[in-house]
Amino acid sequence: MAHPHLTLRPGHPDPSTATDAEAVRPAAAPALVEAFEAIRAEHEIPAEFPPEVLAEAEEVAGTDVLPERDERAVEFITIDPEGSMDLDQAMHIEREGDGFLVRYAIADVPAFVAPEGAIAAESLRRGLTIYCPDERTPLHPPVMSEGAASLLPEEDRPAFVWELHLDAAGAVTSASVGRAAVRSRRRYTYVEAQEQIDDGSAEETLLLLKEVGVLRIEQEKARGGATLPMPEQEVEAEGGHFVTRFRPLLPAEDWNAQISLMTGMAAADLMLGAKVGILRTMPDPETQDIDALRRQARGLRVDWPQEMSYGDFLRSLDTTDGRHLFLVHEATSLFRGAGYTAFDGQEPEVRTQSAIAAPYAHATAPLRRLVDRFVLEICAAICAEQDIPAWAREALPELPELMKAAGSRAKSVERACVDAVEAAVLHPHVGEEFDGIVVDVDDSDGFTVQIPEPAVVARAQGQVEPGDEVRVRLTEADVREHRLAFELA
């Protein structure tokens, strides 16, 4: 059973925004914190960095690592969730004839990480930044990831600067990347960016982000790409409470994601051309899975014309409709098998990420994801026509398994923490009834229900039909075991 996309945001904003229905009451908070700690311990998530890693980070954070090329005159901006300090990306967009020039600056993490040093060794063990509602376990020491290497506003920083030239339709005509000194001018939250774009007060890069983002979405459709419109489930700290909610993604988040996807596709093309690198791959969905989803759509009387691709069908679904929401959850079967494929000397057999419908590589989040550091170094060497550093090339064979293990660990931790929060939110309401939508049905009189408020996805007992709007009774909410149970009311 697939869960909604998760966003876990440690922090302490205004607690007045939490409603009684969705806030964890103080009596449940100690048990919840204990549950988070137990989850991290169970999955062997490190509580702190070793002393030698911290010492190396402090030393390198105080050194001058700016490259000779100077792009500090370019007015880069960043767009991130509120409160973020590990800022990987900054962008600048301008018109170029009938098309566009997108400059995308990515934090130069290799400038701070000695290949044989303590930070490099620790990052291989961690693989990813892991997010829990109460705290994050970063890939790199905060003095680096939230300080010296982060693209914070009005700070000189080393970066990999991508230059992506686009035609009038938003297609990439050429792409290159090289090291440069940059200086971000402004940082926006997604909400701020969206508000300024909508009211017309936004600066040119934000206005062009919308224009380019819309064009890139059309490019995705034309390629046959598919986006799963799964609801976003947020867990956020709000003054001593944790809250859960479902929310739709802002258009600005989608446009921003398109810039990152475009960059990852450019990185993949560079590496494929040089026959060395590592791709993020996913096989095409099985024909029988698409046929099964078509049958489910027919059974639910949801129109899916025969000539319409599964990607276009998913984009047409409305998750406020219970039948559509059920199909979105069932469509996760089409997005299985994602992994990493390393290659050196010849192109790999599997080259594409099927949901993107193109070769793709992770290249835009090196502060939070290990593999990006290697991709960026390889791509920069290719563009400079230099030898790829031995440390990057030699690590390629082991990276797929390292990233697979890190990804599995992060998902397990994040899902368990969300389950614990859901149990804490509902702990005072055992015996009460809630409205929900059936998003999965099994063969043992069990089903999965998505409850809109508080935002919860949980198992329940009873005989139902896919997409039914149901009323369920909460029978158990165990915070320490992070378990919920419902029955059909």
Side-chain angles (χ1 to χ4, degrees), residues 398-452:
E398 66 176 332
L399 283 176
E401 283 303 315
L402 284 174
M403 292 307 302
K404 179 181 178 181
S408 176
R409 184 167 58 247
K411 287 180 181 178
S412 295
V413 169
E414 291 170 8
R415 186 62 249 173
C417 285
V418 172
D419 289 343
V421 172
E422 291 177 342
V425 167
L426 287 171
H427 181 74
H429 303 289
V430 172
E432 297 181 18
E433 296 180 2
F434 300 85
D435 293 321
I437 297 171
V438 176
V439 295
D440 193 24
V441 179
D442 59 34
D443 296 326
S444 59
D445 288 342
F447 63 96
T448 300
V449 61
Q450 181 165 311
I451 297 170

Side-chain angles (χ1 to χ4, degrees), residues 448-471:
T448 300
V449 61
Q450 181 165 311
I451 297 170
E453 188 175 336
V456 167
V457 179
R459 298 294 298 163
Q461 291 297 311
Q463 294 186 335
V464 294
E465 294 296 325
D468 277 356
E469 295 184 6
V470 295
R471 188 125 177 115

Side-chain angles (χ1 to χ4, degrees), residues 165-229:
H165 299 267
L166 282 59
D167 64 18
V172 176
T173 57
S174 68
S176 63
V177 61
R179 281 185 160 92
V182 301
R183 187 178 181 89
S184 173
R185 294 301 197 277
R186 284 165 293 281
R187 63 184 299 175
Y188 294 95
T189 66
Y190 287 114
V191 172
E192 290 169 344
Q194 190 67 60
E195 288 176 347
Q196 292 189 25
I197 292 170
D198 289 345
D199 67 21
S201 65
E203 60 180 283
E204 184 181 43
T205 288
L206 285 179
L207 294 175
L208 290 179
L209 171 64
K210 175 180 180 180
E211 195 169 335
V212 171
V214 170
L215 290 173
R216 292 302 301 177
I217 291 170
E218 292 303 314
Q219 290 281 331
E220 180 179 270
K221 293 177 182 178
R223 291 193 311 270
T227 299
L228 190 64

Side-chain angles (χ1 to χ4, degrees), residues 104-357:
Y104 206 34
I106 308 300
D108 187 352
V109 174
F112 297 88
V113 180
E116 303 300 326
I119 297 174
E122 184 68 12
S123 67
L124 287 173
R125 285 190 288 270
R126 296 186 177 221
L128 291 166
T129 292
I130 293 179
Y131 295 89
C132 295
D134 60 333
E135 66 183 43
R136 64 174 64 86
T137 303
L139 175 60
H140 303 103
V143 69
M144 189 187 101
S145 61
E146 299 181 10
S150 179
L151 303 183
L152 298 166
E154 300 302 338
E155 298 287 349
D156 295 340
R157 293 289 186 259
F160 291 94
V161 177
W162 288 86
E163 292 191 352
L164 301 141
H165 299 267
L166 282 59
D167 64 18
V172 176
T173 57
S174 68
S176 63
V177 61
R179 281 185 160 92
V182 301
R183 187 178 181 89
S184 173
R185 294 301 197 277
R186 284 165 293 281
R187 63 184 299 175
Y188 294 95
T189 66
Y190 287 114
V191 172
E192 290 169 344
Q194 190 67 60
E195 288 176 347
Q196 292 189 25
I197 292 170
D198 289 345
D199 67 21
S201 65
E203 60 180 283
E204 184 181 43
T205 288
L206 285 179
L207 294 175
L208 290 179
L209 171 64
K210 175 180 180 180
E211 195 169 335
V212 171
V214 170
L215 290 173
R216 292 302 301 177
I217 291 170
E218 292 303 314
Q219 290 281 331
E220 180 179 270
K221 293 177 182 178
R223 291 193 311 270
T227 299
L228 190 64
M230 187 73 80
E232 181 89 0
Q233 185 180 17
E234 288 187 329
V235 175
E236 188 169 355
E238 290 194 349
H241 299 293
F242 294 99
V243 300
T244 63
R245 54 173 72 90
F246 292 119
R247 71 170 184 88
L249 290 177
L250 294 170
E253 292 176 87
D254 196 0
W255 303 328
N256 194 54
Q258 287 295 329
I259 303 299
S260 182
L261 290 172
M262 176 174 64
T263 305
M265 291 163 63
D269 287 343
L270 283 173
M271 292 187 292
L272 286 169
K275 294 184 172 58
V276 58
I278 181 167
L279 305 178
R280 181 65 167 164
T281 55
M282 188 167 72
D284 291 334
E286 298 290 342
T287 302
Q288 60 263 32
D289 290 334
I290 296 177
D291 290 343
L293 190 65
R294 281 189 177 275
R295 288 193 297 272
Q296 288 171 317
R298 274 200 306 273
L300 293 171
R301 295 183 175 82
V302 177
D303 186 40
W304 184 353
Q306 191 62 38
E307 67 279 4
M308 180 184 285
S309 70
Y310 80 94
D312 287 341
F313 174 68
L314 293 178
R315 275 185 283 268
S316 74
L317 295 177
D318 176 7
T319 56
T320 63
D321 184 311
R323 299 169 305 150
H324 290 212
L325 183 61
F326 174 83
L327 290 171
V328 167
H329 279 261
E330 291 299 296
T332 56
S333 65
L334 308 181
F335 294 80
R336 290 191 294 233
Y340 292 89
T341 301
F343 57 102
D344 193 348
Q346 60 183 12
E347 291 190 11
E349 290 185 14
V350 179
R351 301 169 64 246
T352 61
Q353 209 279 17
S354 63
I356 297 172

